């Protein structure tokens, strides 16, 4: 029996597990956080050292629970959140907090960059507030001292690999956007537009290649792993797709954690409006991350005064209630949106509320709203690739809810398949480690051997007419309300009359207190 240490650095928690060569998770440790520091300016930041502390803490938990298994670890693989930049100086020290996937401060910089960049360059249209090039431009404008000292840009899992091995490296999947910007087009790349060179890029490795052995002298219990190989792995989406067994042509994937990611896997680098096309090392994914998902459900539960520590139980209880004949529409853009709109100024809405609607109606509206967004992305990807998805592999916390799986299958009109592993990111990281160790001849072979299916949801033809009608209304509501969202956000940012409402509310609260 072989054991590997697999880690998944998520948007709201850090998970680590000891996984054997049958794919079974033998011991697991999950730690919440670290919380990001968010504010009204659009900032969302985390100190990189906090992620390192979580890795040490999680490993300490595993070593305490299963000391013999921990000492038997043969390799390490860490996947993690993407669209998050860590800025290092030439000595490998962090220059400032990391800018997370939620940070929208570079929106204005992105707009100026798009106007200034060569419009023919393939990456120009992809520049937005979440793009590393826009964030580099923001750093140059707002924090010139940190920008001047910048020597390397890493993603979170790469930072942990660096702390474990001392080597600065990443993979072409995680760094796809920055690599695309650095690629020359007609003799010019886009990095020069923000005053940097390709030297800020770390060394590129394949996900299954070794970064290096674990260094000696690390904190307890990492010192017990000295000499074990650390494999590069990739971002959490790529790893979870592997862990769901969806890394194959014609399969779609939907990973629902704090936020959702949906895409279609194909052989050709097709392109579609608003979707990311990323080379997944022999295959291409067409799709990408949204800003909505299980966190949207948590928002609803908090709004209703229900227990947000038991999301699965609480939403299941709401869904067992009676639903009113007239459905609600929910636009799930509580934090703006990435794929497919790339607009940080989009906002959520409930459309069609009447006096008889209750908590059950709100719960269904939220789940169906997210599924409508899934369908929008899937339809664009299928049209670009010229064929329907064979099935949608569904994973993450939301996949434990059979009602949501059923809604997604019926609304998208495709079979939804849930894998046995409830932690596809950990399973994917373990598959990388075992492939790197040579236990399997290829990533595809490891996927076939270690991924099993738990449940399959076929779309119900009887519900198709109703969901087609709901989806059409959803798209109409999106188009009608997007300009209103942008105007509301702009009015608040620019200190116009609408921004005064918050001050009036504070004054009213003071009067009540008196």
């Amino acid at each position: 029996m072989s054991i590997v240490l697999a880690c998944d650095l998520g948007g709201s928690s850090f998970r680590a597990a000891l996984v054997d060569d049958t794919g079974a998770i033998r011991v697991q440790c999950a730690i919440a956080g670290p919380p990001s520091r968010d504010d009204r300016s659009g900032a969302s930041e985390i100190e990189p050292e906090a992620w390192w502390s979580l890795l040490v803490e999680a490993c300490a938990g595993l070593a305490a629970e299963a000391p013999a298994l921990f000492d038997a670890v043969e390799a390490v693989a860490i996947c993690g959140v993407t669209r998050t930049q860590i800025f290092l100086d030439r000595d490998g020290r962090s220059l400032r907090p990391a800018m997370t996937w939620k940070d929208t401060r570079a929106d204005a910089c992105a707009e100026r960059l798009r106007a200034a960049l060569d419009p023919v360059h393939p990456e120009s249209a992809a520049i937005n507030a979440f793009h590393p090039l826009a964030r580099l431009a923001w750093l140059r404008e707002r924090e010139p001292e940190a920008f001047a000292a910048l020597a390397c840009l890493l993603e979170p899992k790469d930072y942990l690999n660096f702390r474990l091995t001392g080597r600065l490296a990443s993979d072409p999947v995680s760094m796809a956007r920055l690599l695309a910007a650095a690629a020359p087009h007609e003799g010019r790349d886009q990095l020069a537009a923000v005053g940097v060179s390709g030297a800020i890029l770390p060394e590129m490795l394949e996900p299954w290649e070794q970064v290096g052995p674990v260094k000696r002298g690390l904190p307890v219990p990492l010192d017990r792993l000295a000499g074990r190989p650390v494999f590069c792995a990739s971002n959490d989406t790529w790893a979870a797709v592997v862990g769901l067994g969806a890394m194959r042509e014609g399969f779609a994937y939907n990973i629902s954690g704090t936020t959702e990611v949906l895409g279609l896997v194909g052989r050709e680098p097709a392109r579609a409006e608003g979707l990311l096309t990323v080379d997944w090392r022999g295959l291409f994914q067409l799709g990408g991350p949204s800003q909505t998902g299980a966190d949207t459900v948590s928002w609803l539960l908090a709004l209703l005064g229900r227990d947000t520590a038991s999301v699965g139980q609480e939403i299941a209880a709401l869904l067992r209630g009676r639903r009113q004949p007239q459905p609600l529409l929910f636009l799930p853009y509580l934090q703006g949106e990435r794929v497919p709109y790339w607009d940080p100024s989009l906002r959520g809405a409930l459309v069609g509320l009447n006096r008889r609607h209750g908590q059950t109606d709100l719960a269904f509206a939220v789940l169906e709203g997210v599924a409508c967004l899934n369908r929008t992305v899937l339809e664009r990807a299928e049209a670009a690739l010229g064929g329907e998805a064979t099935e949608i592999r569904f994973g993450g916390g939301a996949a434990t809810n059979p009602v949501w799986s059923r809604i997604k299958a019926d609304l998208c009109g495709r079979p939804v398949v849930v894998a046995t592993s409830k932690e596809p990111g950990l399973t994917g990281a373990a598959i990388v480690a075992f492939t790197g160790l040579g236990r399997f001849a290829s990533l595809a072979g490891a996927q076939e051997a270690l991924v099993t299916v738990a449940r399959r949801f076929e779309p119900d033809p009887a519900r198709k007419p109703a969901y087609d009608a709901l989806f059409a209304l959803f798209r109409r509501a999106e188009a009608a309300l997007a300009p209103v969202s942008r105007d509301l956000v702009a009015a608040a940012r620019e200190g116009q009359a609408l921004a005064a409402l918050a001050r009036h509310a504070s004054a009213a609260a003071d009067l009540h207190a008196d």
Side-chain angles (χ1 to χ4, degrees), residues 160-384:
L160 295 183
N161 287 344
F162 167 61
R163 293 292 298 268
L164 285 170
T165 68
R167 185 181 182 187
L168 295 167
S170 188
D171 67 284
V173 179
S174 300
M175 286 283 174
R177 301 275 60 85
L178 197 57
L179 288 173
H185 181 75
E186 297 182 356
R188 294 187 299 172
D189 65 44
Q190 294 183 326
L191 296 183
V194 297
V196 298
S197 73
I200 68 165
L201 285 163
E203 183 179 358
M204 290 296 132
L205 301 174
E206 296 294 347
W208 47 87
E209 289 184 327
Q210 184 181 155
V211 179
V214 175
K215 297 188 299 184
R216 297 190 180 279
L218 292 180
V220 174
L222 297 180
D223 59 332
R224 291 156 61 180
L225 300 179
R228 275 39 164 232
V230 176
F231 292 101
C232 188
S234 190
N235 62 53
D236 51 356
T237 297
W238 184 93
V241 172
V242 171
L244 290 171
M247 190 67 75
R248 50 183 112 180
E249 183 180 8
F251 276 50
Y253 68 87
N254 180 199
I255 302 154
S256 186
T258 305
T259 60
E260 291 216 340
V261 194
L262 188 140
L264 183 58
V265 180
R267 288 282 175 193
E268 301 298 326
R271 296 191 177 274
E273 182 183 0
L275 307 191
L276 298 174
T277 301
V278 183
D279 180 355
W280 273 6
R281 323 318 293 150
L283 294 167
F284 293 87
Q285 88 86 44
L286 188 57
S290 73
Q291 295 283 82
T292 186
D295 184 62
T296 313
V297 176
S298 297
W299 163 82
L300 176 66
L301 295 177
L303 193 68
L304 299 177
R306 301 183 77 103
D307 182 9
T308 56
S310 305
V311 173
Q313 295 176 4
E314 291 287 347
I315 195 68
L318 289 177
L319 294 171
R320 286 194 289 269
R322 185 173 181 178
R323 192 175 186 183
Q324 295 301 311
Q326 182 231 299
L328 283 171
L329 284 175
F330 176 66
L331 305 187
Y333 311 120
L334 302 179
Q335 304 179 87
E337 190 49 280
R338 293 184 283 179
V339 169
Y341 302 122
W342 301 104
D343 187 349
S345 295
L346 285 180
R347 291 296 179 264
L350 277 165
V351 182
L353 272 171
N354 68 44
R355 186 66 182 79
R356 300 182 66 187
H357 283 134
Q359 295 187 8
T360 293
D361 301 290
L362 291 171
F364 273 102
V366 166
L367 300 194
E368 288 168 348
V370 175
C372 282
L373 178 63
N374 296 155
R375 176 167 167 175
T376 300
V377 174
L378 184 63
E379 286 186 350
R380 291 190 186 192
E382 289 178 335

Side-chain angles (χ1 to χ4, degrees), residues 421-455:
S421 174
K422 293 180 172 59
E423 295 285 357
L426 292 176
T427 300
I431 286 173
V432 166
F434 284 122
T435 302
L437 286 169
R439 300 291 187 272
F440 299 95
S442 66
L443 200 69
Q447 189 177 228
E448 283 290 333
L450 302 181
V451 178
T452 56
V453 169
R455 196 166 179 186

Side-chain angles (χ1 to χ4, degrees), residues 481-494:
L481 293 179
V484 178
S485 290
R486 296 185 189 110
D487 287 347
L488 282 168
V489 171
R493 279 182 185 163
E494 295 166 11

Side-chain angles (χ1 to χ4, degrees), residues 17-42:
L18 303 179
V19 185
D20 68 25
D21 52 10
T22 69
I25 294 177
R26 304 292 296 275
V27 188
Q28 181 177 344
C29 179
I31 305 172
S36 58
R37 295 194 300 270
D38 302 348
D39 64 32
R40 292 184 179 180
S41 72

